[in-house]
Every structure is written in structure tokens, then in C-alpha cells.
Amino acid sequence: MKQKAIETGWYLPGYYSHVVASAVILVIGFFQVFDPIRRRLPFWHRTLGKVYIVGILGLAAPGALIMSFFINRGPWVFASFISQVSLWYWFTIKAYQKAKLHDYRAHELWMWRSFALTLAAITLRIYIFIFSFSLKLTEVNSYAILAWLSWVPNLMIVEWYFQKRAKSMSV
């Protein structure tokens, strides 16, 4: 399947745009969530934020979408990757819209959701490393479980954190 993907001419451009842009986006994302930069250097926060958004919407997510069609790991893995990339687009667009409307609380929540999906790349590699000793990752179901676990818990943690924070602010 990999050879067929390369022969179509779509896989490698998708792969490289996803991998290169995602590496930059991961680094930028860590700086964006670091509080002193956001508060003390707003120009850099906005500038890096624009690079993050363009990187996701223009390179990383389209590359991930293309790659999803060439990963021959079964329908559950395909569904996971398509769901993840769709939400990645949606959350990033919503974050941008909220920033433009100066709704910075909502902007922060949407960006954390976007970053949780960006971090899925790291989460997936950690799970693959840990479970490669106990699971047969060539089996469709094993890899499907890891594909879903790479991003769903990340989002759940973000939602839990913001709900907890909202409750503590209202007390």
C-alpha cells in the first residue's frame, strides 16, 4: 500500500507538509501556552499564533488528511485520523475567530483544544513505544485503540481542566 501511495504523487507532499509544519507548530504551541510570553510579549504571542494557525490550516492538517487516506490500518484507524484532523481544523478556526472578536477566554479554550490535538502526535509515539512490547501493533484493533487514545484523552484533560477552573473562579 505504501508503494501505491507514493506512486500517486499525493502521499509524500502530504507527509512532508504534515511532518515539517507539525514540528514547527509543536514548538510554537509550547511557547504560546507559556504564560509569561502571552502576557509580557503580546506582539510575539500574536505573531507566533498566526504562524501556528497558518501552519495547521495550510500545511499540517491538509497533510494529515492526505496521509489518512493512505494508512491501511482499517476503518477504525481511518475514522480516528479523519475525526482528529476535522476537529483540529475546527478548533483552530474557532480559536482564530474568538481572538478576532476579542473573546480571549473562549480563544484560550479553543486554542487549548487545538493544541491537545497537536500533542496527539507525541502521545501516539509514547503509546506506540510503551505498548509495542505488549501489543501486536500490526493487528488492526491494537493500532486502532492507540489511534483513538492518542487524542481523545488529551481533549478530555483539557475539558476537565477548564471545567475545574471555571468552578473555582465562580466560587
Side-chain angles (χ1 to χ4, degrees), residues 106-121:
H107 165 72
E108 180 183 22
L109 175 56
W110 286 107
M111 280 311 280
W112 269 102
R113 288 171 175 151
S114 172
F115 192 53
L117 294 180
T118 302
L119 290 173

Side-chain angles (χ1 to χ4, degrees), residues 49-64:
K50 290 173 185 173
V51 173
Y52 178 92
I53 288 167
V54 168
I56 288 174
L57 300 179
L59 296 167

Side-chain angles (χ1 to χ4, degrees), residues 1 5 10-11 14-15 18 60-86 88-89:
M1 184 64 170
W10 284 94
Y11 183 79
Y15 173 81
H18 175 69
L65 182 63
I66 290 167
M67 289 171 57
S68 295
F69 288 98
F70 294 103
I71 296 171
N72 192 17
R73 295 285 190 130
W76 287 107
V77 172
F78 179 74
S80 173
F81 290 155
I82 293 297
S83 299
Q84 180 185 357
V85 76
S86 299
W88 203 20
Y89 270 112

Side-chain angles (χ1 to χ4, degrees), residues 41-55:
L41 302 169
F43 168 78
W44 285 108
H45 179 75
R46 283 189 304 275
T47 303
L48 290 175
K50 290 173 185 173
V51 173
Y52 178 92
I53 288 167
V54 168

Side-chain angles (χ1 to χ4, degrees), residues 3-168:
Q3 184 62 34
K4 184 178 178 185
I6 292 170
E7 288 171 4
T8 66
W10 284 94
Y11 183 79
L12 286 179
Y15 173 81
Y16 286 120
S17 70
H18 175 69
V19 170
V20 172
S22 293
V24 172
I25 289 163
L26 273 168
V27 172
I28 288 173
F30 283 111
F31 282 106
Q32 291 298 86
V33 299
F34 189 57
D35 202 43
I37 290 178
R38 279 195 342 243
R39 297 188 191 280
R40 293 185 196 153
L41 302 169
F43 168 78
W44 285 108
H45 179 75
R46 283 189 304 275
T47 303
L48 290 175
K50 290 173 185 173
V51 173
Y52 178 92
I53 288 167
V54 168
I56 288 174
L57 300 179
L59 296 167
L65 182 63
I66 290 167
M67 289 171 57
S68 295
F69 288 98
F70 294 103
I71 296 171
N72 192 17
R73 295 285 190 130
W76 287 107
V77 172
F78 179 74
S80 173
F81 290 155
I82 293 297
S83 299
Q84 180 185 357
V85 76
S86 299
L87 290 171
W88 203 20
Y89 270 112
W90 178 253
F91 295 164
T92 306
I93 289 168
K94 291 297 288 183
Y96 177 73
Q97 289 172 340
K98 294 300 180 182
K100 291 305 263 181
L101 295 171
H102 304 285
D103 185 354
Y104 298 119
R105 283 187 185 262
H107 165 72
E108 180 183 22
L109 175 56
W110 286 107
M111 280 311 280
W112 269 102
R113 288 171 175 151
S114 172
F115 192 53
L117 294 180
T118 302
L119 290 173
I122 293 172
T123 309
L124 179 62
R125 270 63 181 186
I126 290 169
Y127 287 149
I128 288 171
F129 176 75
I130 292 170
F131 291 108
S132 65
F133 302 107
S134 59
L135 291 177
K136 201 170 186 182
L137 296 179
T138 55
E139 292 180 12
V140 173
N141 291 337
S142 296
Y143 197 83
I145 291 167
L146 297 185
W148 286 95
L149 284 176
S150 72
W151 63 273
V152 173
N154 292 5
L155 282 180
M156 291 170 69
I157 291 167
V158 167
E159 296 302 325
W160 169 81
Y161 172 74
F162 276 91
Q163 284 183 1
K164 184 178 175 187
R165 191 171 92 170
K167 285 180 185 175
S168 70

